[in-house]
DNA sequence: TCTTATCTCGAATAAAATTCGGAAATTTCA
DNA sequence: TGAAATTTCCGAATTTTATTCGAGATAAGA
């Protein structure tokens, strides 16, 4: 651990994310994702991270601050990841299908993260004013961009309000995920990806008259 | 307060819902709906209800039990109310439109209830095993029934998976409500009803070939 | 009016978050 | 290299809240 320049906050070195901070976050995701924010105790998170309770407060202002730091951290890693997966896919509707699949798949493999973002986070009164909210917005923005792209390339109806379209896509995906999180999580989430994508794409895409009418 | 028949539970009179219990619930909706479950204290709820803290525990096992009792109580009143509004409306798609409007309107007028049901409830570990979850299911079932009806009468595509269709409708509505709840709640929610209904109806309804193709 | 079963709540208890003060570790620089 | 300065860490005390206890208040029936 190296020394930082003279005048520093009263807090721990913030840049280059000390390993300890990462370890706390990892333990927090594990414990909170598993038992929920309510039932997770600072003592247990500290124990899992192999440090004393008080040390957590060197890195996070409060338990709530720790909760809010989770999506900020993870989303930072997530957005490049999904963008990477999106590369080489042509056409907004194909991208939308891929995005749906990717998201369901990610939550299925990381239910703790899904549980925190979709269930725990929104009860925090300060959520909207925190950068956690910005992180979520950046994530949703991917869907919005896909819809815009589709309207530009002519595959998605121009008359649709893009924000409403995003609400339908994001709302449907989240609703399916939330049901899964609340249930036993035994069945596969990704199995819904294709059918859901079909339905959403069908409601957004511009009908091609020459094709859809050839049977008349 | 009248005496109840001989052998009673170790608890307070459960039938005919004593006014005190109702008063506690009313205060709980007010305080929890406003500050959130976390920040609402039993002391404050008790004070608002004009009783001592300990009295709450005569009517509810715990703070969580009190939270879970709220949707059970309210949904009991809500379902007859919405069914009443639905009467006389012909056609599944018209019912869906009305349902969307009604729901958005109800939450706009009762944001405390909306906040509890959509934001606070889902973090409770016991939610799924509680009758609160059943109450929510009964509410969603209205949408499912509308979709079934639409498929039977031929206004909604038969090939759509009804559960997925419900997820899209409920998910979209809830997503719009949640954004509103998290923001300042200053703008009108019901303003979205029509456009949202258009979009959802459009994605579910069976296209009538003779009409959609007459311009060819 | 007296007895008994409820109801109510002030005060004690318990559990968990947060703060405090100083010890341990690390860094600086003479 | 050594010791002062700075930073990190944490055990123990404090604070905040939910929950329980037990005694007094209230009503019903004899």
């Amino acid at each position: 651990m190296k020394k930082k320049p003279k005048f520093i906050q009263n807090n721990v070195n913030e840049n280059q994310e000390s390993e300890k901070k990462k370890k706390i976050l990892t333990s927090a995701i594990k414990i909170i994702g598993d038992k929920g924010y309510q039932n997770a105790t600072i003592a247990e998170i500290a124990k899992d991270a192999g440090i004393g309770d008080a040390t957590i407060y060197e890195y996070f202002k409060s338990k709530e601050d720790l909760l809010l730091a989770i999506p900020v951290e993870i989303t930072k890693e997530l957005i490049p990841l999904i963008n990477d997966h999106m590369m080489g896919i042509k056409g907004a509707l194909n991208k939308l299908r891929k995005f749906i699949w990717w998201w369901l798949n990610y939550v299925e493999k990381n239910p703790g993260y899904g549980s925190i973002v979709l269930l725990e986070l929104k009860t925090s009164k300060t959520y909207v004013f925190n950068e956690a909210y910005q992180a979520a917005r950046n994530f949703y923005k991917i869907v919005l961009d896909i819809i815009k792209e589709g309207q530009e390339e002519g595959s998605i109806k121009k008359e649709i309000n893009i924000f409403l379209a995003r609400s339908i896509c994001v709302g449907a995906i989240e609703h399916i995920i939330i049901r899964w999180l609340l249930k036993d999580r035994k069945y596969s989430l990704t199995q819904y990806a294709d059918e859901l994508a079909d339905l959403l794409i069908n409601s957004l895409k511009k009908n091609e008259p020459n094709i859809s009418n050839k049977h008349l």
Side-chain angles (χ1 to χ4, degrees), chain A residues 126-142:
Chain A
T126 49
Y127 172 54
V128 182
F129 309 107
N130 186 280
E131 48 174 339
Y133 186 68
Q134 269 318 306
R137 288 177 67 90
N138 288 338
F139 189 66
Y140 294 156
K141 189 166 177 302
I142 295 173

Side-chain angles (χ1 to χ4, degrees), chain A residues 52-199:
Chain A
D53 300 16
T55 305
I56 288 182
Y57 290 88
E58 301 292 336
Y59 294 89
F60 302 95
K61 272 196 288 295
S62 63
K63 189 184 174 189
E64 187 178 39
D65 188 49
L66 172 56
L67 174 72
L68 290 168
I70 292 171
V72 175
E73 278 310 300
I74 305 273
T75 311
K76 233 181 252 167
E77 299 170 6
L78 232 50
I79 290 186
L81 217 64
I82 173 74
N83 281 333
D84 198 47
H85 268 258
M86 225 57 128
M87 279 186 345
I89 296 181
K90 194 161 158 78
L93 296 178
N94 292 325
K95 282 184 185 166
L96 181 59
R97 182 180 296 276
K98 170 75 177 187
F99 182 82
I100 291 168
W101 181 88
W102 188 88
W103 194 356
L104 292 176
N105 187 247
Y106 184 83
V107 173
E108 184 161 354
K109 292 196 174 135
N110 303 273
Y113 171 71
S115 169
I116 289 169
V117 170
L118 294 180
L119 303 181
E120 305 294 339
L121 214 57
K122 287 164 183 162
T123 70
S124 162
K125 275 289 136 179
T126 49
Y127 172 54
V128 182
F129 309 107
N130 186 280
E131 48 174 339
Y133 186 68
Q134 269 318 306
R137 288 177 67 90
N138 288 338
F139 189 66
Y140 294 156
K141 189 166 177 302
I142 295 173
V143 179
L144 199 64
D145 288 342
I146 291 175
I147 293 167
K148 278 183 194 158
E149 185 185 328
Q151 287 189 330
E152 276 161 24
E153 74 185 20
S155 58
I156 290 180
K157 292 188 196 117
K158 290 237 171 33
E159 67 270 26
I160 290 180
N161 175 331
I162 55 173
F163 297 101
L164 221 43
R166 182 196 52 190
S167 288
I168 289 191
C169 294
V170 172
I173 300 173
E174 288 192 354
H175 189 259
I176 286 170
I177 294 176
I178 287 173
R179 297 196 121 236
W180 181 80
L181 288 169
L182 290 175
K183 304 270 197 148
D184 49 16
R185 307 180 190 183
K186 287 290 159 52
Y187 61 90
S188 157
L189 244 188
T190 33
Q191 69 178 307
Y192 293 114
D194 251 350
E195 211 178 343
L196 175 61
D198 287 342
L199 197 44

